[in-house]
Amino acid sequence: MTTQERGATYTEVFASGEFRVLFGSFTLLVAGDQVKMLALSALVYARTGSPGLSAAAYMLGFLPYAVGATFLLSLADRIRPRALMIAGELVRVVTCLLIAFAGLSVWAMLALVLVTGLFSPVFGAARIALLPDLLPGDAFVLGRSVLTVTAAGAQIGGLAVGGGILAATGPSGALAATAALSALAAVVLRFGLPDFPARGAEAGPPGERTEDGGLPAGEAEGGEVRTEQARGRGAVWETLRVNRVLLADARIRGLLLAQWLPVTFVAGGEAMLVPYLGSTAGYALAAASVGLAAGSFVVGRLVSPSGRERLAFPMAVASGLPLLVFAFQPGLGGAALLVLLATVASTSYELGLQRWFVEAVPEPVRGQAFGLASAGMMSGQALGGVLVGVAAELTSPHMAIVLAGAATVCCSLALHRSLRPEPS
């Protein structure tokens, strides 16, 4: 069996001590963020009595991703990854303690979360871009799968634990607990992860490719000088420039859109579960998290690397099909099953794109490329909720979910070239 046909194993993935450090710190990060946003939402509601502001506070952590990805992502390749990740944890510590104990007004708290959130995609990009270095070959894809499963479990666990801490200590105590988790993660990173050099320090910016996928000779020879010039222009200028170059590459652009668009509408459909199911929507949302974990585990571990890639296109199309069944207005059980199937398919097709994306992106800007992909997914899910919400205003919640499923299928069909293996 060839390397391409033999998938990596969890034993191989967790044999890397550096990955275990990333895994542990990532678990603390996701769980802590859930507790933080839950506590912030409760604190805003206690101060204002406004359900709208409370809901806005809970979603506030997702809003800065688009701005941070547009203007700051080059930092992920210009700063040493360990230092960047530790800085992210310390920013979270300070933010939580200020919100909990500094006596800030509600608007000052929200502004603080927005401003510090601008750097979240940078911190996340540094973490994900390090994975291919720690886990070569198919182990990288399985590592991504592990983090996806962990994110789903930590979100559920974080909400459950956060609810208990919130009930026992109040919002300030829950925020202090989040600060403690982030401080612990910073210590784990500092003493468990090697101090890798900044990714962009050894090579120049991306450019057009030769037929064998490499950079042209002129680009390779002058790349280092142009990188120093780009640094002199600042992080914002370099982020905009590299984003423009990445999006100008047809292969990279197609893979980015394939990671963004189908998921946008699947998430938009899920956003309608609360108005569709009312107080029982939590069960269906939990089913979505189960589907996320199940798809990552089954396809990541039990399907061969080439099999995952062949499944990318059909599974992307399949992720929208269960949402079409909402035309028949299923009850809670049926809705939960349909959402579970949609998220299984959605997660499965994304795993099939991971190796292609790593190979398509120039290594010196891998951090920015992964950050752009992640930020686009986060921003797209928020946009999907807005678009499907507008559709629900014009039709009904169940028909809005149907339209989300149709949009998912149409996007997948339109992106079929990016979702299929390139001819050998």
Side-chain angles (χ1 to χ4, degrees):
M1 184 177 288
T2 66
T3 302
Q4 175 64 8
E5 287 299 320
R6 187 186 74 82
T9 66
Y10 287 117
T11 300
E12 294 168 351
V13 169
F14 281 98
S16 168
E18 291 88 354
F19 175 75
R20 293 196 299 271
V21 171
L22 283 185
F23 171 78
S25 64
F26 179 74
T27 303
L28 293 171
L29 166 70
V30 177
D33 266 352
Q34 294 300 310
V35 177
K36 181 186 79 172
M37 300 315 296
L38 187 64
L40 177 62
S41 178
L43 190 59
V44 169
Y45 185 72
R47 292 271 190 90
T48 66
S50 168
L53 270 180
S54 176
Y58 185 76
M59 297 302 295
L60 205 58
F62 300 104
L63 294 181
Y65 267 80
V67 178
T70 302
F71 297 110
L72 299 172
L73 269 179
S74 67
L75 294 172
D77 295 307
R78 295 164 61 144
I79 300 175
R80 291 175 178 269
R82 187 181 72 178
L84 199 54
M85 286 184 279
I86 291 173
E89 300 298 344
L90 296 180
V91 166
R92 194 171 292 106
V93 170
V94 173
T95 301
C96 290
L97 294 179
L98 285 175
I99 293 172
F101 303 114
L104 301 176
S105 69
V106 168
W107 293 110
M109 289 190 295
L110 299 182
L112 178 64
V113 172
L114 274 174
V115 171
T116 56
L118 294 175
F119 295 91
S120 294
V122 179
F123 303 141
R127 186 185 308 273
I128 298 301
L130 205 53
L131 278 183
D133 296 326
L134 306 180
L135 302 173
D138 187 60
F140 159 71
V141 180
L142 191 58
R144 287 297 303 266
S145 169
V146 168
L147 294 187
T148 300
V149 174
T150 302
Q155 284 175 1
I156 297 173
L159 287 173
V161 173
I165 296 174
L166 197 61
T169 66
S172 295
L175 287 164
T178 301
L181 289 176
S182 293
L184 176 60
V187 172
V188 169
L189 289 167
R190 172 60 182 84
F191 293 103
L193 196 67
D195 192 16
F196 293 97
R199 189 172 307 280
E202 299 177 356
E208 295 180 356
R209 310 221 179 156
T210 60
E211 291 183 5
D212 64 358
L215 297 178
E219 184 77 18
E221 293 170 1
E224 187 171 348
V225 174
R226 278 193 288 272
T227 298
E228 293 301 322
Q229 292 173 344
R231 284 177 183 162
R233 302 273 189 111
V236 172
W237 184 91
E238 176 69 351
T239 301
L240 291 170
R241 186 191 68 80
V242 174
N243 281 347
R244 185 169 60 250
V245 173
L246 290 172
L247 292 170
D249 185 301
R251 177 62 171 163
I252 295 174
R253 182 176 64 250
L255 289 169
L256 285 170
L257 291 173
Q259 292 177 81
W260 293 344
L261 293 182
V263 173
T264 289
F265 292 104
V266 172
E270 292 174 8
M272 281 298 100
L273 289 173
V274 172
Y276 177 70
L277 291 172
S279 60
T280 60
Y283 296 104
L285 291 171
S289 295
V290 171
L292 185 70
S296 293
F297 173 78
V298 172
V299 176
R301 180 63 189 92
L302 303 181
V303 180
S304 70
S306 60
R308 282 187 225 120
E309 293 168 3
R310 289 193 300 270
L311 282 173
F313 174 63
M315 294 303 277
V317 174
S319 65
L321 297 179
L323 303 184
L324 301 179
V325 183
F326 277 84
F328 301 100
Q329 301 186 52
L332 173 60
L337 176 61
L338 292 171
V339 170
L340 184 148
L341 293 174
T343 52
V344 165
S346 178
T347 305
S348 300
Y349 96 78
E350 289 171 16
L351 286 179
L353 305 180
Q354 297 305 312
R355 184 182 66 84
W356 301 339
F357 192 63
V358 170
E359 293 179 352
V361 170
E363 199 274 342
V365 293
R366 185 192 293 160
Q368 180 161 342
F370 273 109
L372 185 61
S374 297
M377 290 179 66
M378 295 288 288
S379 303
Q381 290 178 57
L383 177 62
V386 172
L387 293 176
V388 178
V390 171
E393 291 291 335
L394 298 175
T395 56
S396 63
H398 79 278
M399 282 308 301
I401 297 174
V402 173
L403 292 172
T408 302
V409 172
C410 290
C411 288
S412 301
L413 293 173
L415 292 165
H416 68 95
R417 291 185 179 177
S418 297
L419 288 162
R420 284 180 167 141
E422 290 185 315
S424 56

